[in-house]
Amino acid sequence: MHGRPREYKNKLKADQKAQEAYRKKVDAIRNGTALVLEYRKQRNYDPAILDASAKLLKVVPEIYTLWNYRREALEPVFAAAGSAGEEGAAEGPAQRASDGELALTHACLMENPKSYSTWHHRKWVVAKGLAPLERELHLISKALDEDQRNFHAWNYRMFICRRMGRSAQDELLYGEEKILQNFSNYSAWHFRTILLHQMYCGPGAAGEGASAGGSASQRTPIPHDVLDQEYDMVHQAFATDARDESPWVYYRWLVGNTLSHLSHHTLAQNATATATATATATATATATAEDAVEEKDGEEEADRGRVAAVLEREATRLLEDHLAAEPDAKWPLLTLARLREAQARLGLAGSPEDCEALLEEARSLYGRLMTLDPMRRGFYQDALEGRAFVVVSALGTV
Amino acid sequence: MAWTITPSKFDVVVIGSGLPECLVAASLLKAGRDVLIIDAVDTYGTDFASFTPAALDDAIVQQQQQLTSHAAAVSETSRYVPAPVPSGEEHEHSMPKCSSISEPVPPGCRLLRLRQRALPVSDIHAFAAPGERGGPGDRRGYILDLVPKLVYQSEPLVDLLVHCRCHHYLEFKAVEGSYILQDGGIHPVPAGRADIFRDRRLSLSDKRVLMRFIQGCVEARGGQGHLKDVLASSQPLAQILAAEGLSPRLRQVILYGIAMCDSDQEPTPAAVAADNGITAADADAAAAVGGVMTGAGGGAALDLFTTSQGRFGHEAAFMVPSYGSGSVAEAFVRLCAVHGAVTILRQPVQALLVMEVKEAVAAVAAASDNGAGSVLSHNNGGGDDADRLNGSDGGAASSTAACSCVGIVTAAGQVVRCKTVVAGTGTISCLEDVLSPSAPPPPYVSRAIVVLDGPLLPAPHGSAAQPQPVPKSLLTMVVPPHSDGLALEGQASETAVAAWAAAGSTGIGNPHPVRVLQEGASTCVCPAGRFLLYLSTPATSSSSYDDLWNTLAKLTDTTDLREVRSPACPSASATSSSSNISTAAANVNTSTSTKIYTDGDGDGDGDDNNCAVVNTTDKHPATDSAATSSSSPTPRTRPRALRAWFYRQPVQHRMVPAIAGAAAGGAAEALAYQLPVGVLQLPGPDGGLAGYSQVLEATKAAYRAAFPGVQWLAEATFGRHGAGGAEGDEEEEGIGGDNGDGGPAPAPAVEEAEEDAAIDELTSAVARLQGGQGV
């Protein structure tokens, strides 16, 4: 699935026969598309034309106008079934249409598992409510066995699970299994971030949690003990292969969730020095938070202490578990620099002198990275000058 | 004479159908020789056969008869009567009796008696739980392997199978898991990136060090990386691992779980001293299975393992054939048959026909006009032949080497003439008067076959990906040398996989690793719900039972096992000294009232596992008291052993000094038998569980030495139409469609054809519609 070059262009150059076949294919697509669009203009949804559009889509699934044509044609069928009530739907034309579209998209996805239009169309069909969801879940699990990193499939899986009302707990286990099989998988880690938010942030966040999004700092934070388990898991991945980027990106998200335990107020206050640009954005949040500020003072102090301890523990882990064995490893260095900078700038390291010392450490780490990884010199230079820290202010993550 | 083999003259007669014999037979057939394959029993495989429990039971009776007849004075007549079928009931592995020889022995010739045995094993002990013996279900219910094997997915044998197109005759199942007994529990062998990430037993630095080593191995294969020099050296692998900073625990993982070493790689100073001292039993045992692995050997072993991982599907490095490992030999028999071999089963060879050398040479010269002399000659090359003659000067069997084999005599009494006789070491060892008096006894491997009522490991906890967890059926495990065994339940459940109790926590203490293979109904070798467990270890005591009982008792619940002294005909054992035991067993079988129900869980159901048997017999060391007292209150967590057989098997796979590496040991083995000229001795099975590489290499070397210049099977060409040209099976290249690294698979062509069809369909549909539009 990954790391394989596309061969067809090279093949075309060399092979006379392939060139002919290619021309034939292009002609067929041109003629077919023109034909279907012609009928579309006349609002003609003849079954024969629908059939032709299906054949066309099997060859080239990425022409979304053709999918739109099918949706226009089938919308009345589903609407009719909806008004006729539940009983008529079982064996009626709507059910047949649903099954037909599922079969068509299935065939297209077997050929082109990364076609946006096809996945979108399938979602549309399933949303009509006539597709067997258990089967969909089974199919999507198979698709993810074939290619663990197909983000279309992951998104579709989330969609199906939401419709099924499948528990985030079950899905978390599924995603964990995929990560255990191969942790070099951004999609699976990402899926995990969404599920953890669903489980711990906001009231019954099942529906909106995933899409409503927002920065980590704007939500109920994930409990520390849950985060600690995640930290443990991700360190296992670092030790197994420190050069793989995906767990490091997940780690960044984790730190953000730890920081979100600091109230917004604190974060904004400490960050204003370096991030004036975002001041207006945070101002509204600050205003609403101020009412409750008094009774929260004690809690806040405890939270700060806990967050500071986590950051210090993580910095120590990076130093002892990873950098001690491989002092020049890029990802541990960069992550340590960011942690140090956050500790310093958020005043989590005790006295101002201590904070200044940590900031100095962060700067020297960025400096080292500039020599170790010259391709990204400018990136580290910006960070060294404090310009990267706006991320913390805006998104609440290091 | 009931019937005769026609023709009665062949270029080559192959006695037995073991894997080496069949490889040689197939090579010779492809080189245009006439070959007769003649096997004593109804099934193929000989030393590599799969068989039924009934065959094992018969072998025990045979063993006892030999012992008793040994005790009585061996009469001249009894020597020439093969052991009769003891149970009175015929099965696939029973051997027909030999008739008297009808043809007169040709002038100048004499007979060299061959007394073939159905199973080339010794020291057999059988055990059974009450009510678990015999019955017709035995016949078809189980397929037991004489030499159980894990097949590396990328080992040369697999490529040879594909080359000869024999893969059509076989079906393999990927091994589902590889485990190691460590820290008092059974844990997966962390052999790949995903395993290492997953394994919470490893510390972070363990993970880093292990990954660094494995990546170093991969790089070393490409001639790069920090390990490329040491992995080509003769430094012991264990030392290299230690220098790389791997802890003793990780060294065990690599040495026994990945490099698949079969002997102790890190002997303690005491053991080394013992080796250098008086008794060299351990050293012998170690040498039998490869001895200390060098960096170069380790590099090759690790390379084979890593290239095998996931060659045909998921991460497994090993696979196992369905229907028993004997099916591998059988596939090559079929190849031979397709290429014109005459194959005869159920026909023991009762003697070789030998002729004094001078006459033999004359006879050969008269019989053939081509240079057939080159074929025969010497099984070990000229130099060895001379050595052998010198060595035999003072020996008793001095005449044997100076003669030449010119044929065989079948059980039916027919003489079949040939230029060369090919036989495996197991068969050769049944020849009379050829054992060199100075030859040391061969090393042995101790094996056990056990029938279980449940899997060794419980089903994993249910996960979202697998809602109904299924316990693993096909798995392998290794108990490292001097293992501490299994911890009690409380400790074990804290560690990853094994959450079940053991009867005790005392060490298992084998000096060498014990290899374990569990098969279930998935490979069609036992009924659903039952599992077969194979154990093996280099023999270090005189008894296979002593070598393996402790390990078995730790892994399974053996409290119900009773020794069965005379499996086939209980009355016959009245003469033996163990009559009390067989009586006990009989009591248990006939009357269930001797069971006491100690219904420990108090629910009044009297679970079978809580039943104890009154009549305990003598051969239950240690475990008896501990197990029966502790098993009642806890739910049964280990599978129960229902039947068990222990036996010893000689390890004689190193035939030619060149193979052995260590010249002295190899030469001694090669000279163990003083064979007539024209007899080619092939290797027997090796003692290891993993891979056929050693057997394949030794067979090829023996073949090369015997038939210089004649093409070996891998060099022969096979048409696209498969081994069975007549069957016309036009199947695709390669074993399966899903081999990731197997180069361009045929799939793209198929896909293209599909796409073409789709385009054609589209074109015609559009054309139709355009036509319609016009109207």
Side-chain angles (χ1 to χ4, degrees), chain B residues 238-268:
Chain B
Q239 273 180 26
I240 296 170
L241 296 176
E244 280 291 303
L246 278 85
S247 66
R249 224 172 48 168
L250 293 183
R251 293 207 289 275
Q252 283 188 341
V253 165
I254 296 206
L255 290 169
Y256 309 114
I258 300 179
M260 302 301 280
C261 297
D262 285 306
S263 65
D264 187 8
Q265 298 296 304
E266 299 179 282
T268 57

PDB file of all heavy atoms in Angstrom, chain B residues 238-268:
ATOM      1  N   ALA B 238      26.620 -16.403  21.842  1.00  0.00           N
ATOM      2  CA  ALA B 238      26.263 -15.948  23.192  1.00  0.00           C
ATOM      3  C   ALA B 238      27.198 -14.836  23.659  1.00  0.00           C
ATOM      4  O   ALA B 238      26.769 -13.872  24.283  1.00  0.00           O
ATOM      5  CB  ALA B 238      26.309 -17.123  24.157  1.00  0.00           C
ATOM      6  N   GLN B 239      28.485 -14.960  23.304  1.00  0.00           N
ATOM      7  CA  GLN B 239      29.451 -13.925  23.686  1.00  0.00           C
ATOM      8  C   GLN B 239      29.172 -12.620  22.964  1.00  0.00           C
ATOM      9  O   GLN B 239      29.277 -11.538  23.529  1.00  0.00           O
ATOM     10  CB  GLN B 239      30.864 -14.381  23.326  1.00  0.00           C
ATOM     11  CG  GLN B 239      31.528 -15.208  24.402  1.00  0.00           C
ATOM     12  CD  GLN B 239      32.929 -15.610  23.967  1.00  0.00           C
ATOM     13  OE1 GLN B 239      33.573 -14.942  23.161  1.00  0.00           O
ATOM     14  NE2 GLN B 239      33.389 -16.733  24.500  1.00  0.00           N
ATOM     15  N   ILE B 240      28.816 -12.741  21.690  1.00  0.00           N
ATOM     16  CA  ILE B 240      28.507 -11.542  20.906  1.00  0.00           C
ATOM     17  C   ILE B 240      27.325 -10.812  21.526  1.00  0.00           C
ATOM     18  O   ILE B 240      27.327  -9.588  21.671  1.00  0.00           O
ATOM     19  CB  ILE B 240      28.185 -11.933  19.445  1.00  0.00           C
ATOM     20  CG1 ILE B 240      29.422 -12.539  18.781  1.00  0.00           C
ATOM     21  CG2 ILE B 240      27.684 -10.729  18.662  1.00  0.00           C
ATOM     22  CD1 ILE B 240      29.165 -13.173  17.443  1.00  0.00           C
ATOM     23  N   LEU B 241      26.328 -11.582  21.926  1.00  0.00           N
ATOM     24  CA  LEU B 241      25.135 -10.986  22.522  1.00  0.00           C
ATOM     25  C   LEU B 241      25.490 -10.286  23.832  1.00  0.00           C
ATOM     26  O   LEU B 241      25.012  -9.186  24.106  1.00  0.00           O
ATOM     27  CB  LEU B 241      24.071 -12.050  22.774  1.00  0.00           C
ATOM     28  CG  LEU B 241      23.512 -12.728  21.529  1.00  0.00           C
ATOM     29  CD1 LEU B 241      22.535 -13.823  21.931  1.00  0.00           C
ATOM     30  CD2 LEU B 241      22.833 -11.737  20.625  1.00  0.00           C
ATOM     31  N   ALA B 242      26.330 -10.941  24.604  1.00  0.00           N
ATOM     32  CA  ALA B 242      26.719 -10.340  25.875  1.00  0.00           C
ATOM     33  C   ALA B 242      27.468  -9.032  25.622  1.00  0.00           C
ATOM     34  O   ALA B 242      27.241  -8.032  26.296  1.00  0.00           O
ATOM     35  CB  ALA B 242      27.579 -11.317  26.670  1.00  0.00           C
ATOM     36  N   ALA B 243      28.346  -9.045  24.620  1.00  0.00           N
ATOM     37  CA  ALA B 243      29.109  -7.838  24.312  1.00  0.00           C
ATOM     38  C   ALA B 243      28.194  -6.721  23.824  1.00  0.00           C
ATOM     39  O   ALA B 243      28.495  -5.542  23.993  1.00  0.00           O
ATOM     40  CB  ALA B 243      30.162  -8.159  23.250  1.00  0.00           C
ATOM     41  N   GLU B 244      27.087  -7.074  23.199  1.00  0.00           N
ATOM     42  CA  GLU B 244      26.132  -6.076  22.731  1.00  0.00           C
ATOM     43  C   GLU B 244      25.267  -5.533  23.865  1.00  0.00           C
ATOM     44  O   GLU B 244      24.365  -4.731  23.637  1.00  0.00           O
ATOM     45  CB  GLU B 244      25.221  -6.683  21.659  1.00  0.00           C
ATOM     46  CG  GLU B 244      25.858  -6.754  20.288  1.00  0.00           C
ATOM     47  CD  GLU B 244      26.049  -5.360  19.706  1.00  0.00           C
ATOM     48  OE1 GLU B 244      25.059  -4.625  19.580  1.00  0.00           O
ATOM     49  OE2 GLU B 244      27.199  -5.016  19.400  1.00  0.00           O
ATOM     50  N   GLY B 245      25.498  -6.035  25.066  1.00  0.00           N
ATOM     51  CA  GLY B 245      24.774  -5.514  26.218  1.00  0.00           C
ATOM     52  C   GLY B 245      23.427  -6.168  26.445  1.00  0.00           C
ATOM     53  O   GLY B 245      22.577  -5.609  27.129  1.00  0.00           O
ATOM     54  N   LEU B 246      23.212  -7.333  25.869  1.00  0.00           N
ATOM     55  CA  LEU B 246      21.941  -8.001  26.101  1.00  0.00           C
ATOM     56  C   LEU B 246      21.975  -8.753  27.428  1.00  0.00           C
ATOM     57  O   LEU B 246      22.922  -9.476  27.706  1.00  0.00           O
ATOM     58  CB  LEU B 246      21.613  -8.979  24.957  1.00  0.00           C
ATOM     59  CG  LEU B 246      20.985  -8.313  23.730  1.00  0.00           C
ATOM     60  CD1 LEU B 246      22.050  -7.771  22.813  1.00  0.00           C
ATOM     61  CD2 LEU B 246      20.098  -9.275  23.000  1.00  0.00           C
ATOM     62  N   SER B 247      20.945  -8.576  28.198  1.00  0.00           N
ATOM     63  CA  SER B 247      20.868  -9.221  29.504  1.00  0.00           C
ATOM     64  C   SER B 247      20.709 -10.730  29.310  1.00  0.00           C
ATOM     65  O   SER B 247      20.340 -11.177  28.230  1.00  0.00           O
ATOM     66  CB  SER B 247      19.675  -8.671  30.276  1.00  0.00           C
ATOM     67  OG  SER B 247      18.491  -9.039  29.619  1.00  0.00           O
ATOM     68  N   PRO B 248      20.992 -11.520  30.359  1.00  0.00           N
ATOM     69  CA  PRO B 248      20.833 -12.981  30.224  1.00  0.00           C
ATOM     70  C   PRO B 248      19.449 -13.365  29.699  1.00  0.00           C
ATOM     71  O   PRO B 248      19.317 -14.283  28.898  1.00  0.00           O
ATOM     72  CB  PRO B 248      21.032 -13.485  31.658  1.00  0.00           C
ATOM     73  CG  PRO B 248      21.879 -12.456  32.305  1.00  0.00           C
ATOM     74  CD  PRO B 248      21.537 -11.148  31.662  1.00  0.00           C
ATOM     75  N   ARG B 249      18.442 -12.643  30.138  1.00  0.00           N
ATOM     76  CA  ARG B 249      17.082 -12.957  29.710  1.00  0.00           C
ATOM     77  C   ARG B 249      16.905 -12.717  28.209  1.00  0.00           C
ATOM     78  O   ARG B 249      16.322 -13.520  27.495  1.00  0.00           O
ATOM     79  CB  ARG B 249      16.122 -12.057  30.474  1.00  0.00           C
ATOM     80  CG  ARG B 249      14.920 -12.769  30.984  1.00  0.00           C
ATOM     81  CD  ARG B 249      14.137 -11.859  31.872  1.00  0.00           C
ATOM     82  NE  ARG B 249      13.967 -10.560  31.233  1.00  0.00           N
ATOM     83  CZ  ARG B 249      13.129  -9.629  31.665  1.00  0.00           C
ATOM     84  NH1 ARG B 249      12.424  -9.860  32.727  1.00  0.00           N
ATOM     85  NH2 ARG B 249      13.022  -8.487  31.044  1.00  0.00           N
ATOM     86  N   LEU B 250      17.446 -11.603  27.736  1.00  0.00           N
ATOM     87  CA  LEU B 250      17.335 -11.316  26.311  1.00  0.00           C
ATOM     88  C   LEU B 250      18.204 -12.260  25.494  1.00  0.00           C
ATOM     89  O   LEU B 250      17.869 -12.618  24.366  1.00  0.00           O
ATOM     90  CB  LEU B 250      17.750  -9.866  26.019  1.00  0.00           C
ATOM     91  CG  LEU B 250      16.827  -8.792  26.581  1.00  0.00           C
ATOM     92  CD1 LEU B 250      17.317  -7.419  26.160  1.00  0.00           C
ATOM     93  CD2 LEU B 250      15.407  -8.999  26.094  1.00  0.00           C
ATOM     94  N   ARG B 251      19.327 -12.683  26.085  1.00  0.00           N
ATOM     95  CA  ARG B 251      20.171 -13.642  25.371  1.00  0.00           C
ATOM     96  C   ARG B 251      19.393 -14.934  25.149  1.00  0.00           C
ATOM     97  O   ARG B 251      19.451 -15.536  24.085  1.00  0.00           O
ATOM     98  CB  ARG B 251      21.454 -13.912  26.159  1.00  0.00           C
ATOM     99  CG  ARG B 251      22.366 -12.696  26.249  1.00  0.00           C
ATOM    100  CD  ARG B 251      23.824 -13.108  26.405  1.00  0.00           C
ATOM    101  NE  ARG B 251      24.140 -13.683  27.702  1.00  0.00           N
ATOM    102  CZ  ARG B 251      24.463 -12.948  28.781  1.00  0.00           C
ATOM    103  NH1 ARG B 251      24.496 -11.628  28.696  1.00  0.00           N
ATOM    104  NH2 ARG B 251      24.764 -13.533  29.921  1.00  0.00           N
ATOM    105  N   GLN B 252      18.665 -15.346  26.192  1.00  0.00           N
ATOM    106  CA  GLN B 252      17.842 -16.555  26.032  1.00  0.00           C
ATOM    107  C   GLN B 252      16.832 -16.377  24.911  1.00  0.00           C
ATOM    108  O   GLN B 252      16.616 -17.270  24.101  1.00  0.00           O
ATOM    109  CB  GLN B 252      17.092 -16.859  27.331  1.00  0.00           C
ATOM    110  CG  GLN B 252      17.952 -17.488  28.401  1.00  0.00           C
ATOM    111  CD  GLN B 252      17.128 -17.942  29.590  1.00  0.00           C
ATOM    112  OE1 GLN B 252      15.997 -17.503  29.786  1.00  0.00           O
ATOM    113  NE2 GLN B 252      17.670 -18.836  30.388  1.00  0.00           N
ATOM    114  N   VAL B 253      16.207 -15.208  24.881  1.00  0.00           N
ATOM    115  CA  VAL B 253      15.207 -14.952  23.842  1.00  0.00           C
ATOM    116  C   VAL B 253      15.829 -15.131  22.465  1.00  0.00           C
ATOM    117  O   VAL B 253      15.279 -15.807  21.588  1.00  0.00           O
ATOM    118  CB  VAL B 253      14.619 -13.530  23.996  1.00  0.00           C
ATOM    119  CG1 VAL B 253      13.879 -13.103  22.737  1.00  0.00           C
ATOM    120  CG2 VAL B 253      13.704 -13.466  25.204  1.00  0.00           C
ATOM    121  N   ILE B 254      17.007 -14.548  22.272  1.00  0.00           N
ATOM    122  CA  ILE B 254      17.633 -14.618  20.946  1.00  0.00           C
ATOM    123  C   ILE B 254      18.181 -16.008  20.665  1.00  0.00           C
ATOM    124  O   ILE B 254      17.957 -16.581  19.597  1.00  0.00           O
ATOM    125  CB  ILE B 254      18.731 -13.555  20.822  1.00  0.00           C
ATOM    126  CG1 ILE B 254      18.057 -12.183  20.910  1.00  0.00           C
ATOM    127  CG2 ILE B 254      19.519 -13.733  19.534  1.00  0.00           C
ATOM    128  CD1 ILE B 254      18.746 -11.066  20.245  1.00  0.00           C
ATOM    129  N   LEU B 255      18.873 -16.588  21.655  1.00  0.00           N
ATOM    130  CA  LEU B 255      19.535 -17.873  21.408  1.00  0.00           C
ATOM    131  C   LEU B 255      18.520 -18.988  21.169  1.00  0.00           C
ATOM    132  O   LEU B 255      18.655 -19.780  20.242  1.00  0.00           O
ATOM    133  CB  LEU B 255      20.420 -18.249  22.597  1.00  0.00           C
ATOM    134  CG  LEU B 255      21.679 -17.393  22.795  1.00  0.00           C
ATOM    135  CD1 LEU B 255      22.306 -17.684  24.147  1.00  0.00           C
ATOM    136  CD2 LEU B 255      22.673 -17.670  21.674  1.00  0.00           C
ATOM    137  N   TYR B 256      17.490 -19.037  22.021  1.00  0.00           N
ATOM    138  CA  TYR B 256      16.584 -20.192  21.952  1.00  0.00           C
ATOM    139  C   TYR B 256      15.265 -19.861  21.265  1.00  0.00           C
ATOM    140  O   TYR B 256      14.623 -20.738  20.715  1.00  0.00           O
ATOM    141  CB  TYR B 256      16.328 -20.733  23.359  1.00  0.00           C
ATOM    142  CG  TYR B 256      17.615 -20.980  24.103  1.00  0.00           C
ATOM    143  CD1 TYR B 256      17.965 -20.252  25.227  1.00  0.00           C
ATOM    144  CD2 TYR B 256      18.523 -21.923  23.622  1.00  0.00           C
ATOM    145  CE1 TYR B 256      19.165 -20.459  25.877  1.00  0.00           C
ATOM    146  CE2 TYR B 256      19.736 -22.131  24.262  1.00  0.00           C
ATOM    147  CZ  TYR B 256      20.053 -21.396  25.394  1.00  0.00           C
ATOM    148  OH  TYR B 256      21.252 -21.595  26.019  1.00  0.00           O
ATOM    149  N   GLY B 257      14.868 -18.584  21.307  1.00  0.00           N
ATOM    150  CA  GLY B 257      13.574 -18.229  20.729  1.00  0.00           C
ATOM    151  C   GLY B 257      13.672 -17.791  19.288  1.00  0.00           C
ATOM    152  O   GLY B 257      12.710 -17.915  18.537  1.00  0.00           O
ATOM    153  N   ILE B 258      14.838 -17.266  18.882  1.00  0.00           N
ATOM    154  CA  ILE B 258      14.955 -16.738  17.517  1.00  0.00           C
ATOM    155  C   ILE B 258      16.003 -17.511  16.717  1.00  0.00           C
ATOM    156  O   ILE B 258      15.732 -17.985  15.630  1.00  0.00           O
ATOM    157  CB  ILE B 258      15.281 -15.228  17.543  1.00  0.00           C
ATOM    158  CG1 ILE B 258      14.156 -14.474  18.273  1.00  0.00           C
ATOM    159  CG2 ILE B 258      15.438 -14.691  16.131  1.00  0.00           C
ATOM    160  CD1 ILE B 258      14.362 -12.989  18.393  1.00  0.00           C
ATOM    161  N   ALA B 259      17.205 -17.652  17.289  1.00  0.00           N
ATOM    162  CA  ALA B 259      18.228 -18.428  16.573  1.00  0.00           C
ATOM    163  C   ALA B 259      17.949 -19.926  16.672  1.00  0.00           C
ATOM    164  O   ALA B 259      18.569 -20.726  15.981  1.00  0.00           O
ATOM    165  CB  ALA B 259      19.619 -18.119  17.112  1.00  0.00           C
ATOM    166  N   MET B 260      17.036 -20.310  17.531  1.00  0.00           N
ATOM    167  CA  MET B 260      16.558 -21.685  17.651  1.00  0.00           C
ATOM    168  C   MET B 260      17.669 -22.688  17.971  1.00  0.00           C
ATOM    169  O   MET B 260      17.677 -23.815  17.476  1.00  0.00           O
ATOM    170  CB  MET B 260      15.808 -22.121  16.377  1.00  0.00           C
ATOM    171  CG  MET B 260      14.615 -21.254  16.022  1.00  0.00           C
ATOM    172  SD  MET B 260      13.332 -21.171  17.297  1.00  0.00           S
ATOM    173  CE  MET B 260      12.461 -22.690  17.015  1.00  0.00           C
ATOM    174  N   CYS B 261      18.616 -22.275  18.813  1.00  0.00           N
ATOM    175  CA  CYS B 261      19.663 -23.197  19.244  1.00  0.00           C
ATOM    176  C   CYS B 261      19.018 -24.336  20.035  1.00  0.00           C
ATOM    177  O   CYS B 261      18.122 -24.102  20.844  1.00  0.00           O
ATOM    178  CB  CYS B 261      20.660 -22.497  20.146  1.00  0.00           C
ATOM    179  SG  CYS B 261      21.541 -21.173  19.325  1.00  0.00           S
ATOM    180  N   ASP B 262      19.513 -25.550  19.821  1.00  0.00           N
ATOM    181  CA  ASP B 262      18.918 -26.703  20.482  1.00  0.00           C
ATOM    182  C   ASP B 262      19.750 -27.226  21.635  1.00  0.00           C
ATOM    183  O   ASP B 262      19.393 -28.227  22.248  1.00  0.00           O
ATOM    184  CB  ASP B 262      18.667 -27.817  19.464  1.00  0.00           C
ATOM    185  CG  ASP B 262      17.468 -27.494  18.603  1.00  0.00           C
ATOM    186  OD1 ASP B 262      16.395 -27.222  19.170  1.00  0.00           O
ATOM    187  OD2 ASP B 262      17.594 -27.492  17.370  1.00  0.00           O
ATOM    188  N   SER B 263      20.881 -26.595  21.893  1.00  0.00           N
ATOM    189  CA  SER B 263      21.670 -27.034  23.040  1.00  0.00           C
ATOM    190  C   SER B 263      22.071 -25.819  23.860  1.00  0.00           C
ATOM    191  O   SER B 263      21.982 -24.687  23.396  1.00  0.00           O
ATOM    192  CB  SER B 263      22.917 -27.791  22.573  1.00  0.00           C
ATOM    193  OG  SER B 263      23.763 -26.909  21.869  1.00  0.00           O
ATOM    194  N   ASP B 264      22.504 -26.071  25.069  1.00  0.00           N
ATOM    195  CA  ASP B 264      22.877 -24.995  25.976  1.00  0.00           C
ATOM    196  C   ASP B 264      24.009 -24.175  25.369  1.00  0.00           C
ATOM    197  O   ASP B 264      25.058 -24.714  25.020  1.00  0.00           O
ATOM    198  CB  ASP B 264      23.308 -25.614  27.315  1.00  0.00           C
ATOM    199  CG  ASP B 264      23.538 -24.552  28.371  1.00  0.00           C
ATOM    200  OD1 ASP B 264      23.227 -23.376  28.105  1.00  0.00           O
ATOM    201  OD2 ASP B 264      24.005 -24.915  29.463  1.00  0.00           O
ATOM    202  N   GLN B 265      23.798 -22.869  25.226  1.00  0.00           N
ATOM    203  CA  GLN B 265      24.795 -22.007  24.599  1.00  0.00           C
ATOM    204  C   GLN B 265      25.689 -21.328  25.624  1.00  0.00           C
ATOM    205  O   GLN B 265      26.701 -20.751  25.273  1.00  0.00           O
ATOM    206  CB  GLN B 265      24.099 -20.940  23.757  1.00  0.00           C
ATOM    207  CG  GLN B 265      23.293 -21.513  22.626  1.00  0.00           C
ATOM    208  CD  GLN B 265      24.149 -22.229  21.612  1.00  0.00           C
ATOM    209  OE1 GLN B 265      25.081 -21.668  21.061  1.00  0.00           O
ATOM    210  NE2 GLN B 265      23.856 -23.495  21.369  1.00  0.00           N
ATOM    211  N   GLU B 266      25.258 -21.340  26.862  1.00  0.00           N
ATOM    212  CA  GLU B 266      26.048 -20.665  27.885  1.00  0.00           C
ATOM    213  C   GLU B 266      26.259 -21.601  29.062  1.00  0.00           C
ATOM    214  O   GLU B 266      25.722 -21.387  30.138  1.00  0.00           O
ATOM    215  CB  GLU B 266      25.341 -19.384  28.332  1.00  0.00           C
ATOM    216  CG  GLU B 266      25.168 -18.400  27.202  1.00  0.00           C
ATOM    217  CD  GLU B 266      24.453 -17.145  27.651  1.00  0.00           C
ATOM    218  OE1 GLU B 266      23.227 -17.160  27.793  1.00  0.00           O
ATOM    219  OE2 GLU B 266      25.148 -16.142  27.855  1.00  0.00           O
ATOM    220  N   PRO B 267      27.009 -22.687  28.826  1.00  0.00           N
ATOM    221  CA  PRO B 267      27.184 -23.651  29.908  1.00  0.00           C
ATOM    222  C   PRO B 267      27.881 -23.009  31.097  1.00  0.00           C
ATOM    223  O   PRO B 267      28.780 -22.175  30.930  1.00  0.00           O
ATOM    224  CB  PRO B 267      28.051 -24.750  29.282  1.00  0.00           C
ATOM    225  CG  PRO B 267      28.630 -24.157  28.059  1.00  0.00           C
ATOM    226  CD  PRO B 267      27.744 -23.051  27.624  1.00  0.00           C
ATOM    227  N   THR B 268      27.447 -23.373  32.277  1.00  0.00           N
ATOM    228  CA  THR B 268      28.068 -22.847  33.486  1.00  0.00           C
ATOM    229  C   THR B 268      29.452 -23.457  33.622  1.00  0.00           C
ATOM    230  O   THR B 268      29.729 -24.512  33.036  1.00  0.00           O
ATOM    231  CB  THR B 268      27.244 -23.246  34.713  1.00  0.00           C
ATOM    232  OG1 THR B 268      27.144 -24.668  34.720  1.00  0.00           O
ATOM    233  CG2 THR B 268      25.859 -22.648  34.651  1.00  0.00           C
TER     234      THR B 268
END
